[in-house]
Amino acid sequence: MNIPVVVYILGRVLQVEAAFMALPFFVGLIYKEQEAFAFLIIGAVEFLVGWVFSRKKPESHSFYAKEGFVTVSLCWILMGIVGALPFVLTGDIANPLDAIFEMVSGFTTTGASILTDVESLHHCSLMWRSFGNWIGGMGVLVFVLSILPLAGAQNIYLMRAESTGPSVGKLVPKVRSTAANLYKIYCGMTLVEFLFLLAGGLDLFSAVTLSFANAGTGGFAILNSSCAGYSSYVQIVLTVFMVLFGVNFTVYYLLLTKRVKQAASCEEMHWYLGIFFVASALIVINTLGSFDSVLEGVKHVAFTVASIMTTTGFCTVDFDTWPEFSKVILVGLMFIGGCAGSTAGGLKVSRIVIYLKSVKKMFAQYLHPRSIKVVKFEGKQVEHDVIRSVNMFLITFIFIYVGSMLLVSLDNHNFETTFTAVAATINNIGPGMDVVGPTQNFSGFSPLSKVVLIFDMLVGRLEVFPILLLFAPSTYKK
């Protein structure tokens, strides 16, 4: 383990997070909130600590997958803890554990909240919550890679550890250029959504915070009613952009480089959109009569399906009151999630497709033992190592899920609450069902359960293995 390189990168990340705190500070100044100085104080101290960590460049630049996993995991944990300090200092979230829960939920784009009254927060804190969703959406390490040289040619290990999906490759030969291209697309789409929301009559603060939370598929709203109080136009804009941010960003890069045919042939995107439309149609049929008109039903159902599938977590209606058939579909969507390489969470559509094709292959081999079948995805053969990797991911995911449920069940909530609370956090969704439904929150859980759910949020965002490797003694051996 090359500790000096890890410490150096941690220092640079702390400096970047400190710089990010300038936004809520200036927002607080605009609204004449003295609490804004909490962000200035914490940011200044964090920047100084980051400078101490990174003032000396490491002599050895040896940096591989092991260092990448550890660095990314420590960065996200540190960011969550430090990012929570302003909440405690302002008094908006006085309990340190609750503040960490809220900030980790923000950075991991989970959107699960312990707040019972969001509207009571100061503007600077509201901005920091939503901005945290945006920072975490694409990944802070991807951002740092796009602006700073860190580990030379080994930067790909950082990107792979932080990015979502079965595999991560480079869009262009240089990793830094890949990261920069991803963030240009991300910023551009966020800006376009912001302009659409402004055109819908939203004030500047609401348009900015909603754009941040929606782009990162994090779902931190600034109203207690989430998105129920906004106009139909705003809700439709949010629906469209939730779906767009759930698509693999490689598709947008291909479109920008005029490779339209290649972008349109993306198999994962076809499955993703197909699942979205089929799920929406089934729920619309199942909820007929629950809304004043069919069009209103389509609007709310499409919004909810997009919100759950992209793991954004916004809501316009209380879907916990829908028929059981619709609720079961929504729970299924919680696990499917969005596309690999998007800002969405969940298992990812690409993994689901590979699982289905692997099952089909096994059936074919049972029927025709001598035949040779291969699994193809995106027009290419899926190597055995990739299939083994996605299978191990699922097995490990299930073990963590079951273990988390056992620990959270000690709070003695009903099964629906316990099951969906873990599902909502490990899949980075936000709302679950019953006690953690769209009109409820996570404040009623014990400190132990909150720690477990914080762990689940990190496991879900970093896709299991980077976090688990922190607890493996062999990780730290030379």
Side-chain angles (χ1 to χ4, degrees):
M1 174 68 70
N2 191 341
I3 301 296
V5 170
V6 175
V7 172
Y8 174 77
I9 297 174
L10 286 175
R12 301 306 287 266
V13 169
L14 288 175
Q15 287 179 305
V16 169
E17 185 184 23
F20 283 149
M21 287 191 186
L23 178 60
F25 169 67
F26 286 118
V27 168
L29 289 183
I30 292 171
Y31 286 94
K32 299 179 181 179
E33 297 171 343
Q34 292 184 350
E35 290 76 11
F37 286 96
F39 291 92
L40 180 63
I41 294 168
I42 298 298
V45 173
E46 183 181 18
F47 190 88
L48 180 62
V49 172
W51 176 80
V52 172
F53 281 11
S54 60
R55 63 189 176 89
K56 183 181 179 182
K57 290 189 176 182
E59 296 178 2
S60 172
H61 289 276
S62 176
F63 193 91
Y64 300 102
K66 181 168 62 174
E67 285 86 357
F69 286 141
V70 170
T71 302
V72 168
S73 298
L74 290 177
C75 282
W76 280 76
I77 293 170
L78 271 177
M79 282 179 56
I81 294 171
V82 177
L85 295 178
F87 290 145
V88 179
L89 211 58
T90 59
D92 281 335
I93 307 177
N95 185 305
L97 180 59
D98 284 349
I100 293 172
F101 184 100
E102 196 76 11
M103 203 63 240
V104 170
S105 178
F107 281 138
T108 59
T109 72
T110 304
S113 180
I114 48 80
L115 295 169
T116 56
D117 183 12
V118 174
E119 295 175 31
S120 66
L121 267 62
H122 296 91
H123 289 86
C124 53
S125 293
L126 287 173
M127 178 58 73
W128 184 230
R129 289 172 79 244
S130 296
F131 193 33
N133 280 167
W134 189 84
I135 295 167
M138 187 58 65
V140 67
L141 265 298
V142 175
F143 176 81
V144 174
L145 287 174
S146 69
I147 60 173
L148 297 172
L150 291 179
Q154 287 77 33
N155 282 336
I156 189 64
Y157 294 115
L158 287 172
M159 184 172 284
R160 284 176 177 165
E162 187 177 53
S163 300
T164 60
S167 61
V168 175
K170 294 181 285 186
L171 302 179
V172 292
K174 292 184 179 180
V175 175
R176 189 176 175 185
S177 297
T178 295
N181 285 326
L182 287 173
Y183 252 96
K184 286 175 184 176
I185 295 169
Y186 189 44
C187 291
M189 290 176 64
T190 305
L191 177 61
V192 172
E193 180 180 9
F194 165 73
L195 294 174
F196 270 102
L197 292 175
L198 273 185
L202 285 186
D203 61 90
L204 184 63
F205 182 80
S206 297
V208 170
T209 51
L210 269 181
S211 298
F212 281 157
N214 206 44
T217 61
F220 267 158
I222 61 172
L223 300 178
N224 292 330
S225 60
S226 189
C227 296
Y230 296 119
S231 67
S232 292
Y233 169 86
V234 170
Q235 292 173 357
I236 292 170
V237 168
L238 292 174
T239 302
V240 171
F241 277 92
M242 278 190 283
V243 174
L244 291 177
F245 279 108
V247 173
N248 192 323
F249 273 56
T250 302
V251 172
Y252 300 127
Y253 178 77
L254 292 172
L255 289 174
L256 288 175
T257 53
K258 299 181 180 179
R259 286 177 277 179
V260 179
K261 188 176 181 180
Q262 191 177 346
S265 65
C266 176
E267 184 180 357
E268 184 183 25
M269 182 178 67
H270 296 163
W271 278 87
Y272 166 72
L273 294 176
I275 293 169
F276 169 76
F277 286 115
V278 170
S280 297
L282 290 174
I283 295 176
V284 166
I285 294 170
N286 188 233
T287 57
L288 284 175
S290 300
F291 302 100
D292 294 334
S293 67
V294 175
L295 284 178
E296 184 189 11
V298 170
K299 180 192 72 173
H300 287 301
V301 168
F303 185 100
T304 303
V305 170
S307 180
I308 295 299
M309 190 171 179
T310 63
T311 69
T312 304
F314 281 143
C315 62
T316 56
V317 292
D318 184 4
F319 55 76
D320 201 22
T321 62
W322 287 358
E324 291 301 314
F325 178 76
S326 296
K327 289 163 67 175
V328 168
I329 292 176
L330 292 179
V331 171
L333 295 176
M334 289 181 181
F335 288 92
I336 294 173
C339 296
S342 72
T343 60
L347 291 173
K348 303 295 181 301
V349 172
S350 54
R351 285 196 182 95
I352 300 299
V353 175
I354 291 173
Y355 293 142
L356 292 174
K357 290 189 174 186
S358 296
V359 171
K360 182 181 177 182
K361 173 188 172 184
M362 288 303 297
F363 271 117
Q365 286 183 330
Y366 279 128
L367 293 173
H368 307 284
R370 294 185 179 182
S371 65
I372 299 175
K373 301 290 182 180
V374 296
V375 175
K376 286 190 175 183
F377 183 67
E378 302 287 6
K380 300 176 183 177
Q381 180 179 336
V382 181
E383 299 296 332
H384 178 71
D385 286 346
V386 175
I387 295 176
R388 184 180 63 182
S389 174
V390 296
N391 288 338
M392 289 305 300
F393 175 88
L394 181 61
I395 292 169
T396 310
F397 180 92
I398 292 171
F399 274 118
I400 294 173
Y401 193 97
V402 172
S404 298
M405 276 193 64
L406 285 172
L407 292 172
V408 174
S409 68
L410 294 174
D411 282 3
N412 209 30
H413 292 294
N414 60 37
F415 180 81
E416 186 177 22
T417 297
T418 303
F419 184 88
T420 58
V422 176
T425 50
I426 200 168
N427 291 308
N428 304 134
I429 295 161
M433 303 288 182
D434 201 47
V435 173
V436 292
T439 61
Q440 306 295 322
N441 55 70
F442 287 72
S443 61
F445 287 93
S446 67
L448 172 63
S449 290
K450 288 175 182 175
V451 170
V452 172
L453 296 175
I454 289 171
F455 174 78
D456 287 343
M457 287 188 271
L458 290 167
V459 162
R461 176 58 183 82
L462 299 182
E463 304 219 312
V464 179
F465 296 110
I467 289 292
L468 293 186
L469 285 174
L470 283 180
F471 304 95
S474 58
T475 301
Y476 306 96
K477 293 180 180 179
K478 293 184 179 180

